Amino acid sequence: MKNIVFTLSVMLLSTVVFAQEVEIPLFDDFEPSVPNIGRNAEPLEKLVVTPEPLPRVEINLGKVEKNAQTASTSPTAVAEKESLSTEKAQPSRPIALTKENANDEQLSEQLKAELEKTKRAEEERIRAAEAEAARRTKQMSAQVAEELFGKLHDVFMFDISGMSLGLTPDEIQEAALENGYKITRIEQGIPLFRTSYYENRCRTAGVVVPDAVKRCILEAAQADGMQYISSMTLAKPEAGEKMQVLFSTPATDNVSYKIFYENEGDNSLNFTRRNLAKKQARKEAFWNLMFETYGLPDDSEKLIWGDPQKAYMQASMQGSAYNAYIVLEDKDIQDQDYFEAEIDGKELRHRQSFTFGAVEEDE
């Protein structure tokens, strides 16, 4: 009941308040009529950075940035940028081929040919100079060796039972018979690269059986005059001596380039004092005869006479029976023989199994 009375009292004592109209200015009431915000806002030229009562410090914001921004956004600048981007985007046009351009291309090809020719000539000159330098170096090395160790033996003046380097098969046979040797075997040979050429030709003709292929190769070499004596084996049974002589190809006159001498000792001798004395006497007899016949070796450790890189002779005794060996060899003619065979091999035309292109027939 008390609450009701209190509420009525408050209501009677309260006064009525009426709302009044409030005028809010719009954008149209300002001067200028466009608000000073966004892109239309007037930029500040100066900025005060110190509060009062401190001395006034201003920063000049400057008009350069504004001008630069304005210039970059100006229609002229935009047009220039678009023009540059358009030029970059456009592909380059090929130069029209005219008569003058054609002549220029011909001159360019001629220039390239001349440059290539000059390059090849220079390479040939360099190779020739290198070969000459190598030859001179080799010659100087030989001269230095002669100055240090004396002049080397000329093994072309040596012979083993009348057989020496540079002799033909007929001359070797004659020397062998004069010195009591018998010819036990003669082998025929075909120049390098010719064997594969003849085999290719025989198999192309339908010859496939191995024995028939060998006969076909031999007949082809004989028909071309390419078969030659490549090896000759000699023997003197009563002295226990054997000799084998190797010959070069007809490209280098088919002459002897390696002579291998062998004299077998008595393998039945044991190690009794008497037999050891016989072996020692055999050893002394061999070396005394070597030094008396050919002089002291140029290389006393390896027992070599002459130049082992060119032409040399080497002697040795091996085994408990003191088997004696002598090798007389010319290495230069072997190199020359290989190069001649290589040149001949390049001129040979092998029949190929490929038929998809133009193939020259064998002559």
Side-chain angles (χ1 to χ4, degrees), residues 17 100 103 138 212 309 360:
V17 178
E100 295 179 355
N103 293 334
K138 191 174 183 180
Q309 302 299 325
E360 296 182 0

Side-chain angles (χ1 to χ4, degrees), residues 132-148 310:
E132 180 65 17
R135 186 188 67 80
R136 290 184 178 180
T137 302
K138 191 174 183 180
Q139 184 178 5
M140 290 177 63
S141 299
Q143 292 176 355
V144 171
E146 289 183 4
E147 292 176 359
L148 292 175
K310 295 182 178 180

Side-chain angles (χ1 to χ4, degrees), residues 7 10 20 30 79 92 215 265 299 301 344:
T7 301
V10 171
Q20 296 182 355
F30 289 94
S92 60
R215 288 195 301 270
D299 188 338
E301 292 184 1
D344 179 63

Side-chain angles (χ1 to χ4, degrees), residues 76-94:
T76 305
V78 172
E80 290 179 355
K81 289 183 179 180
E82 292 179 354
S83 176
L84 291 174
S85 62
T86 305
E87 290 179 358
K88 291 182 180 179
Q90 290 179 352
S92 60
R93 296 180 180 178

Side-chain angles (χ1 to χ4, degrees), residues 66 79 85 144 159 161 163 166 175 179 189 237 245 259 329 338:
K66 177 182 177 182
S85 62
V144 171
D159 71 87
S161 298
M163 278 149 289
N179 288 275
V245 183
I259 301 173
E329 183 177 13
Y338 176 82

Side-chain angles (χ1 to χ4, degrees), residues 350-361:
H350 293 259
R351 184 184 294 273
Q352 302 295 340
S353 58
F354 308 107
T355 59
F356 56 81
V359 180
E360 296 182 0
E361 298 292 336

Side-chain angles (χ1 to χ4, degrees), residues 52-69:
E52 296 180 355
L54 295 176
R56 183 179 179 89
V57 178
E58 296 180 353
I59 296 177
N60 186 10
L61 299 179
K63 298 183 179 181
V64 179
E65 295 180 359
K66 177 182 177 182
N67 295 335
Q69 183 179 4

